[in-house]
Amino acid sequence: MTDLTAALRALHHGRRPDDPLILPGPWDAGSARMLADAGFPALATPSAGIAASLGVADGEVPADEMFAVVARIARAVPVPVSADLEDGYGLPPAELVERLLESGAVGCNLEDTDRHTGGMVDAREQADRLAAVRAAAGDALFVNARIDSYLHGAPAEDALERARLYAAAGADCVFPILAPPERLAEIGKAAGLPVNSIAKGDEFTPTRLGELGATRITFGPGLHRRTMAALATIAGDLR
């Protein structure tokens, strides 16, 4: 386990409910440097933000290009970087872990939506894949297991069952994307792990999400979109 991995793992534990870990999402080396210089202790790349910065839709960035972007980000900053690797690009677990660690990242998101079919991977099949990733990585990688039950309209019990299975498989954190904030604590209890929530806007501030059970807050492509909106305003003023 590297010092950066240990630091990332430690940031998820011992937190007060009103102080969740804020992990902003850089899409390139420049945005990563800016966020690290602002004092954030770790960063989490968003696949959708990186895709948008490359001019393609989310899910259309080839694995080689995604790892190259992640490597540039990780080289640019002294803080731990976690990478959104979508569904793992079909790579064997050992190769996925090797390429991720070679990039300099020390954490990853792995989701249970199949990018080819658009449907959810069977829960036990996904748990087996997470277990294989854990076996290949040992403790060198912080694994954030994304749970897409709410994204697909599955019953709430599906999210709880996946949380249990993924925790047993060796995940470090679970990420029930689009889960209602009031369900976060229940999911965290089922997993016995930290819970990632995506930022929800003014109604549910990071502090409020922390009080409801979120250990860490990420932003998906939100920061990239806000930056592009600011640039559009600047461009309009220039004209």
Side-chain angles (χ1 to χ4, degrees):
M1 179 170 58
T2 69
D3 290 344
L4 288 176
T5 313
L8 180 61
R9 190 167 279 122
L11 285 168
H12 290 76
H13 296 279
R15 308 198 69 87
R16 300 191 316 271
D18 63 349
D19 182 34
L21 175 62
I22 306 297
L23 291 181
W27 54 91
D28 61 13
S31 59
R33 287 194 192 100
M34 182 174 293
L35 292 167
D37 288 347
F40 290 99
L43 305 173
T45 69
S47 67
I50 288 174
S53 75
L54 296 173
V56 300
D58 190 22
E60 293 185 1
V61 180
D64 288 351
E65 194 157 8
M66 184 64 77
F67 282 115
V69 174
V70 170
R72 289 194 292 271
I73 289 171
R75 286 196 302 266
V77 296
V79 300
V81 172
S82 181
D84 182 352
L85 298 184
E86 303 177 76
D87 68 349
Y89 308 110
L91 296 172
E95 181 181 351
L96 182 73
V97 169
E98 180 181 15
R99 295 187 67 177
L100 181 61
L101 294 177
E102 284 178 351
S103 77
V106 295
C108 67
N109 281 11
L110 289 172
E111 64 192 51
D112 51 12
T113 293
D114 186 313
R115 70 196 317 230
H116 296 295
T117 68
M120 291 191 78
V121 178
D122 175 79
R124 293 189 179 277
E125 180 181 341
Q126 181 70 0
D128 288 344
R129 180 165 174 75
L130 291 169
V133 168
R134 173 55 66 210
D139 61 1
L141 189 64
F142 186 96
V143 178
N144 187 31
R146 203 177 94 173
I147 299 170
D148 288 0
S149 304
Y150 287 98
L151 182 65
H152 291 275
E157 181 55 41
D158 183 74
L160 296 174
E161 179 63 12
R162 287 175 184 270
R164 296 183 192 102
L165 288 170
Y166 298 171
D172 294 285
C173 184
V174 292
F175 180 14
I177 193 167
L178 301 188
E182 60 270 16
R183 303 305 296 268
L184 294 173
E186 180 183 21
I187 293 168
K189 182 177 180 180
L193 293 175
V195 176
N196 188 159
S197 175
I198 199 162
K200 299 286 187 180
D202 293 341
E203 182 180 359
F204 291 100
T205 63
T207 296
R208 182 60 180 144
L209 289 171
E211 292 169 345
L212 290 170
T215 310
R216 81 183 213 175
I217 310 297
T218 53
F219 299 83
L223 297 184
H224 180 265
R225 289 173 180 166
R226 290 173 65 181
T227 301
M228 291 301 101
L231 180 57
T233 298
I234 294 169
D237 292 343
L238 291 175
R239 288 178 61 89

